[in-house]
C-alpha cells in the first residue's frame, strides 16, 4: 500500500507546488488545498498504515497485533479542520484583494508602500 | 491538572466575552485590559513558583504523556509567558489611543486575545503537534489583527503574510510526519529521551526530518533566507499592535528553535542543524541591518532591525553546536530574547508615537518630535541605544554574553559580524533620531494622546534600564534555564514520570 500512496503524495505535492507558484490567487488557494491533502496522506503513511491494519479499539482489545496506530488519524483530523478554516480565510482574503485591487494576479498588486493607504 | 492551563483558557474565554460585547468599546477595552494585566501579574507568580519548586505539568483530560496532550511550564516557558502577557498588556493599552471605532467594531479586541492565546499556548505545549496547532491559532488571531480596518495596503500585505504562513504550516506537518515515522512520538520529552542515545542511520534520518522543522521555525523567526515577508508586513499592523507583533511573533519562532534544537533533539548529528543556523545567523544579522540602513520610514527601519536582532538570538542557538560553550551561549540567548522583546516593543510603540505627534510617516518630512513629546523622545533614545548595545542598558549585557561565548568558542567570523552589526544599528538609530526627533515641528501640529501612548511604553523602557543595571537575577535565571535545556532530565521526569520505555517504533 505504501507505493501507491507514495505516488499519490508525490503527485499532490508536485501539483500543489505548481498551483501555488502560479500568478493567480484562486490557483494559490487550490494549490494550498492540494498540499494540505498531500501532507495529511503523508501523516497516515507515517503511522505505518497498510491494508492489513485493523481498526483499534473496535473489538476486544486482548489481541493487539496488527492494529492501526490511532494517533496519526487523530492528527490528520485536527489538521483537516485547521486547513479547512485557514483555507476558507485565505479564499476570503483573496476575494477582498480582488475586490479592492481589481486583479487576481499577485505580481500586479502594487509594490509595498503606503502611497495608496486610505 | 493544575493552573498553567489558565494561560490559554483565560484569553480564550476573554475572546468569547469580547466578541459577544462587540459594539461596546469601553466594556471591551476594560475587560480585555483587565484580563491581560491580571494574566501578566500571575505569570510572574508562576515563574517564581517554577523557579523555586520545579516544573509544573498539566495533562489534558488526565491522559498520561506521551499520548495525552501536555502543557509544561518550565523556566524557559515561564520567562516567555511573563514577556508575552506583559508586553501584550502594554501593547493593548497603548493601542487604545489610536485604534479607530471601525477597527474595534470589526473584532480587534477578540482577535488580539486569540493571538495572545496562540502565543502562550506555543510556549506551554509539550508536544510538537500541539505546537503546530498553537501556531495556527496564533496566526489566525494575527491575520485578524493585521487586516482589521482593511485598508488597501493592509489587505495586500495580509494576503502575502497568510500565503507565506500557509506554506509554513504545511511544511510543519510534513516535518512532523517524517519525525513521527522515524521515532513514533511527537512529545518533546519523549523525543529528548529517545534521541539522547541515538546514533547511526536512524539519527541521520531524524536530523534530516528535523531540518524541515528548522525551515518552518526559521520562516516564523524571519531568519535568512526566509525573512522576505517581514519588512513589508509589519508596517501595516495597526499602531500599538506592531509592538506586540515585532516583539513576540518572531520570537515564537526563536523560542521553538531553542526548545526543539537545543533541548529536544539530542541525537548524533544534531550539531549539523545548529551549525547551519550559525551560518544563517551571520547573513541574517548583516542583511537585516543593511536593509534597515537604506530605509526612510521609522516602521520599516525597525522592521528590518527585527530581522538583524533575530540574527543575534539565532547566533546564540548556533553556538550551542560547540559543547564547551553551549551553556554560556544558551544563557546568552535567553537573556537576549528577554532584552529584545522588551526593547523592540518599546521602540515600535514610541516610533508610532513620533509618527503620531508629527503627523508624518516618511523620515524626510518628519522632525521636531523632541519638541512635541520630550519625555517620550528621551525614552526612544534610551531604547534605541539599548538596541544598539550601549552600556548601561540591557542590550550591552546581552550582546556581551553572546560575543564572549563566541570568543570562547573561537568563532571569530560570527563575532566580527555581530560587532559590525551593532555599529550599523547605531547608525540607523541615529538616522531616526536626527530626522524624526531633531528639527522644528511644522506649525499647527499638536500632540494628541501622546501621554496615553507613552505611559505604557515607559514600563518597558524602565525594564531595559533595570535589566542593564541590576542584571544578576535575570542572569542567574538565564543560566538555570540553560542548564535545564541542555540537561533535560527534570523536564523528561516531570512529563513522563518513571514510565518504562514505551513500545512502538522505538
Amino acid at each position: 500500500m505504501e507505493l501507491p500512496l507514495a505516488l499519490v503524495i508525490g503527485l499532490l505535492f508536485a501539483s500543489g507546488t505548481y498551483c501555488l507558484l502560479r500568478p493567480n490567487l484562486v490557483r494559490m488557494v487550490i494549490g494550498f488545498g492540494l498540499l494540505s491533502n498531500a501532507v495529511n496522506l503523508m501523516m497516515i503513511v507515517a503511522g505505518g498504515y497498510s491494508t492489513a491494519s485493523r481498526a483499534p479499539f473496535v473489538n476486544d482489545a486482548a489481541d493487539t497485533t496488527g492494529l492501526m496506530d490511532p494517533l496519526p488519524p487523530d492528527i490528520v483530523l485536527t489538521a483537516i479542520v485547521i486547513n479547512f478554516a485557514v483555507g476558507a480565510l485565505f479564499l476570503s482574503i483573496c476575494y477582498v484583494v480582488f475586490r479592492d485591487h481589481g486583479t487576481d494576479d499577485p505580481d500586479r498588486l502594487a509594490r509595498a508602500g503606503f502611497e495608496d493607504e486610505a | 491538572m493544575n493552573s498553567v492551563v489558565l494561560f490559554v483558557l483565560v484569553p480564550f474565554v476573554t475572546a468569547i466575552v469580547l466578541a459577544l460585547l462587540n459594539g461596546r468599546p469601553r466594556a471591551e477595552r476594560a475587560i480585555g485590559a483587565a484580563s491581560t494585566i491580571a494574566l501578566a501579574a500571575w505569570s510572574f507568580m508562576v515563574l517564581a513558583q517554577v523557579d523555586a519548586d520545579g516544573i509544573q505539568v498539566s495533562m489534558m483530560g488526565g491522559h498520561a504523556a506521551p499520548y495525552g496532550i501536555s502543557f509544561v511550564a518550565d523556566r524557559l516557558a515561564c520567562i516567555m509567558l511573563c514577556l508575552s502577557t506583559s508586553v501584550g498588556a502594554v501593547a493593548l493599552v497603548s493601542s487604545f489611543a489610536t485604534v479607530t471605532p471601525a477597527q474595534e467594531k470589526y473584532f480587534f479586541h477578540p482577535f488580539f486575545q486569540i493571538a495572545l492565546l496562540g502565543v502562550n499556548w506555543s510556549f506551554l505545549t509539550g508536544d510538537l503537534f500541539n505546537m503546530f496547532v498553537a501556531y495556527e491559532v496564533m496566526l489566525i488571531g494575527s491575520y485578524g489583527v493585521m487586516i482589521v480596518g482593511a485598508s488597501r495596503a493592509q489587505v495586500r500585505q495580509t494576503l502575502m503574510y497568510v500565503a507565506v504562513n500557509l506554506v509554513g504550516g504545511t511544511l510543519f506537518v510534513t516535518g512532523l510526519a517524517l519525525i513521527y515515522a522515524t521515532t513514533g512520538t511527537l512529545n518533546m520529552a519523549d523525543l529528548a529521551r529517545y534521541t539522547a542515545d541515538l546514533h547511526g542511520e536512524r539519527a541521520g534520518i531524524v536530523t534530516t526530518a528535523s531540518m524541515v522543522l528548522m525551515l518552518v521555525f526559521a520562516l516564523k523567526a524571519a531568519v535568512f533566507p526566509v525573512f522576505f515577508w517581514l519588512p513589508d508586513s509589519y508596517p501595516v499592523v495597526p499602531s500599538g499592535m506592531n509592538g506586540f507583533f515585532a516583539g513576540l511573533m518572531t520570537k515564537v519562532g526563536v523560542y521553538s528553535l531553542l526548545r526543539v534544537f537545543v533541548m529536544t533533539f539530542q541525537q548524533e548529528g544534531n550539531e549539523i542543524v545548529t551549525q547551519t543556523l550559525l551560518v544563517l545567523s551571520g547573513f541574517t544579522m548583516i542583511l537585516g541591518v543593511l536593509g534597515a540602513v537604506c530605509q526612510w520610514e521609522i516602521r520599516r527601519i525597525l522592521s528590518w532591525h527585527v530581522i538583524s536582532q533575530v540574527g543575534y538570538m539565532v547566533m546564540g542557538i548556533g553556538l550551542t553546536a560547540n559543547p564547551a560553550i553551549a551553556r554560556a551561549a544558551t544563557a546568552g540567548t535567553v537573556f537576549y530574547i528577554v532584552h529584545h522583546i522588551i526593547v523592540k516593543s518599546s521602540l515600535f510603540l514610541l516610533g508610532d508615537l513620533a509618527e503620531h505627534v508629527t503627523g508624518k510617516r516618511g523620515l524626510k518630512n518628519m522632525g521636531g518630535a523632541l519638541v512635541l513629546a520630550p519625555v517620550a523622545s528621551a525614552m526612544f533614545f534610551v531604547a534605541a541605544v539599548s538596541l544598539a548595545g550601549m552600556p548601561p542598558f540591557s542590550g550591552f549585557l546581552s550582546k556581551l554574553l553572546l560575543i564572549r561565548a563566541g570568543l570562547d568558542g573561537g568563532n571569530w567570523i560570527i563575532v566580527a559580524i555581530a560587532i559590525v552589526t551593532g555599529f550599523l544599528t547605531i547608525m540607523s538609530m541615529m538616522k531616526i533620531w536626527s530626522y524624526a526627533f531633531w528639527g522644528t515641528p511644522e506649525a499647527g501640529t499638536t500632540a494628541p494622546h501622546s501621554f496615553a501612548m507613552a505611559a505604557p511604553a515607559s514600563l518597558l523602557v524602565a525594564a531595559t534600564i533595570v535589566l542593564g543595571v541590576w542584571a544578576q537575577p535575570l542572569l542567574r535565571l538565564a543560566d538555570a534555564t540553560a542548564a535545564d535545556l541542555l540537561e533535560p532530565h527534570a523536564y523528561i521526569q516531570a512529563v513522563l514520570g518513571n514510565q518504562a520505555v514505551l513500545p512502538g517504533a522505538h
Side-chain angles (χ1 to χ4, degrees):
Chain A
M1 200 53 195
E2 278 176 11
L3 184 67
L5 270 177
L7 290 173
V8 171
I9 292 168
L11 189 70
L12 284 173
F13 259 113
S15 45
T17 310
Y18 176 79
C19 285
L20 208 60
L21 294 175
R22 293 283 83 202
N24 181 310
L25 293 180
V26 176
R27 288 208 186 139
M28 281 169 72
V29 179
I30 293 169
F32 169 68
L34 292 173
L35 274 184
S36 57
N37 281 313
V39 170
N40 290 341
L41 278 177
M42 201 164 146
M43 200 74 220
I44 297 282
V45 177
Y49 173 74
S50 78
T51 41
S53 307
R54 292 190 297 120
F57 310 129
V58 172
N59 296 315
D60 188 18
D63 177 22
T64 56
T65 49
L67 290 186
M68 165 96 191
D69 183 351
L71 204 57
D74 282 359
I75 290 176
V76 168
L77 204 59
T78 315
I80 287 173
V81 174
I82 291 174
N83 287 330
F84 180 72
V86 180
L89 182 83
F90 190 33
L91 190 61
S92 61
I93 292 176
C94 288
Y95 170 70
V96 176
V97 168
F98 177 70
R99 198 189 59 193
D100 283 7
H101 294 260
T103 175
D104 64 349
D105 179 354
D107 290 340
R108 283 169 59 198
L109 296 173
R111 289 299 305 151
F114 298 99
E115 68 291 337
D116 62 347
E117 194 176 26
Chain B
M1 182 77 189
N2 64 38
S3 47
V4 290
V5 75
L6 283 180
F7 284 106
V8 174
L9 213 53
V10 168
F12 180 65
V13 173
T14 312
I16 294 173
V17 171
L18 293 184
L20 293 174
L21 282 175
N22 188 34
R24 293 169 161 164
R26 271 193 194 175
E28 280 189 283
R29 287 178 180 201
I31 291 174
S35 134
T36 317
I37 290 168
L39 214 52
W42 196 59
S43 70
F44 285 95
M45 284 164 60
V46 173
L47 174 64
Q49 262 176 30
V50 166
D51 192 37
D53 307 336
I55 297 169
Q56 295 190 8
V57 182
S58 179
M59 298 292 176
M60 292 303 96
H63 295 289
Y67 303 114
I69 293 168
S70 47
F71 282 63
V72 190
D74 65 346
R75 285 198 181 92
L76 179 61
C78 286
I79 293 172
M80 299 304 289
L81 283 174
C82 290
L83 291 166
S84 67
T85 49
S86 41
V87 170
V90 165
L92 181 67
V93 173
S94 61
S95 73
F96 290 164
T98 47
V99 70
T100 63
Q103 285 174 331
E104 289 193 301
K105 188 176 155 228
Y106 287 105
F107 301 102
F108 169 79
H109 295 287
F111 279 134
F112 167 74
Q113 295 292 335
I114 289 168
L116 184 68
L117 183 171
V119 171
N120 288 350
W121 187 0
S122 54
F123 294 150
L124 275 174
T125 181
D127 173 299
L128 282 175
F129 180 70
N130 279 285
M131 194 184 270
F132 161 74
V133 180
Y135 264 47
E136 293 298 322
V137 171
M138 166 182 84
L139 289 169
I140 288 173
S142 69
Y143 303 149
V145 173
M146 189 181 265
I147 206 169
V148 75
S151 73
R152 280 164 58 92
Q154 273 180 314
V155 168
R156 185 182 60 220
Q157 293 313 326
T158 307
L159 175 77
M160 191 175 78
Y161 180 74
V162 174
V164 165
N165 281 306
L166 288 184
V167 175
T170 314
L171 281 174
F172 201 154
V173 186
T174 313
L176 295 182
L178 293 172
I179 287 168
Y180 191 81
T182 326
T183 65
T185 184
L186 291 174
N187 184 288
M188 290 196 275
D190 205 17
L191 276 172
R193 184 177 64 179
Y194 173 63
T195 55
D197 45 18
L198 192 63
H199 303 281
E201 191 188 358
R202 196 166 273 263
I205 300 173
V206 172
T207 307
T208 314
S210 70
M211 280 284 202
V212 179
L213 289 189
M214 185 201 86
L215 179 62
V216 175
F217 299 148
L219 180 78
K220 193 70 214 116
V223 175
F224 171 86
V226 278
F227 61 82
F228 53 85
W229 56 272
L230 188 144
D232 287 341
S233 306
Y234 280 14
V236 302
V237 177
S239 156
M241 271 303 124
N242 53 19
F244 181 72
F245 270 64
L248 278 162
M249 293 290 184
T250 47
K251 258 49 71 188
V252 176
V254 176
Y255 164 86
S256 305
L257 285 172
L258 193 60
R259 171 72 79 198
V260 170
F261 292 104
V262 177
M263 190 197 87
T264 305
F265 287 115
Q266 309 269 349
Q267 80 279 7
E268 177 194 34
N270 184 49
E271 66 276 6
I272 298 170
V273 181
T274 41
Q275 276 161 359
T276 312
L277 283 172
L278 188 63
V279 174
L280 295 179
S281 73
F283 285 106
T284 312
M285 279 189 268
I286 201 78
L287 289 175
V289 82
L290 288 178
V293 164
C294 66
Q295 296 296 324
W296 284 99
E297 212 169 318
I298 292 183
R299 289 176 175 214
R300 292 187 161 249
I301 293 176
L302 293 177
S303 297
W304 278 97
H305 275 301
V306 174
I307 297 169
S308 83
Q309 298 290 309
V310 162
Y312 281 99
M313 290 170 247
V314 175
M315 166 187 158
I317 296 168
L319 287 174
T320 60
N322 180 350
I325 53 165
R327 184 158 169 177
T330 313
T333 310
V334 172
F335 196 98
Y336 207 104
I337 291 176
V338 175
H339 147 74
H340 172 85
I341 291 179
I342 291 169
V343 167
K344 199 81 228 178
S345 303
S346 58
L347 278 175
F348 262 94
L349 295 175
L350 295 166
D352 278 354
L353 187 145
E355 286 182 349
H356 193 72
V357 292
T358 56
K360 298 280 193 319
R361 282 197 113 158
L363 270 185
K364 286 176 181 166
N365 307 322
M366 287 173 89
L370 189 55
V371 183
L372 294 167
V375 179
S377 303
M379 294 198 300
F380 185 91
F381 186 81
V382 168
V385 293
S386 178
L387 185 81
M390 296 272 202
F393 307 116
S394 59
F396 170 70
L397 209 53
S398 50
K399 283 195 172 62
L400 180 72
L401 291 172
L402 286 178
I403 287 173
R404 199 168 61 186
L407 289 177
D408 289 345
N411 302 77
W412 311 111
I413 301 174
I414 199 79
V415 167
I417 293 176
I419 293 171
V420 169
T421 304
F423 282 120
L424 291 170
T425 307
I426 301 180
M427 199 179 121
S428 68
M429 284 298 142
M430 288 308 112
K431 184 159 95 179
I432 297 183
W433 183 253
S434 56
Y435 278 90
F437 289 90
W438 278 347
T440 40
E442 278 180 22
T445 25
T446 51
H449 303 307
S450 73
F451 176 75
M453 289 173 86
S458 67
L459 291 173
L460 298 178
V461 176
T464 183
I465 298 172
V466 169
L467 290 179
V469 180
W470 188 51
Q472 211 51 41
L474 182 60
L475 281 174
R476 188 200 58 76
L477 194 61
D479 191 54
T481 308
D484 287 354
L485 289 175
L486 293 166
E487 299 279 327
H489 303 302
Y491 187 94
I492 295 171
Q493 178 77 22
V495 177
L496 297 175
N498 289 315
Q499 296 170 41
V501 176
L502 291 147
H506 284 200

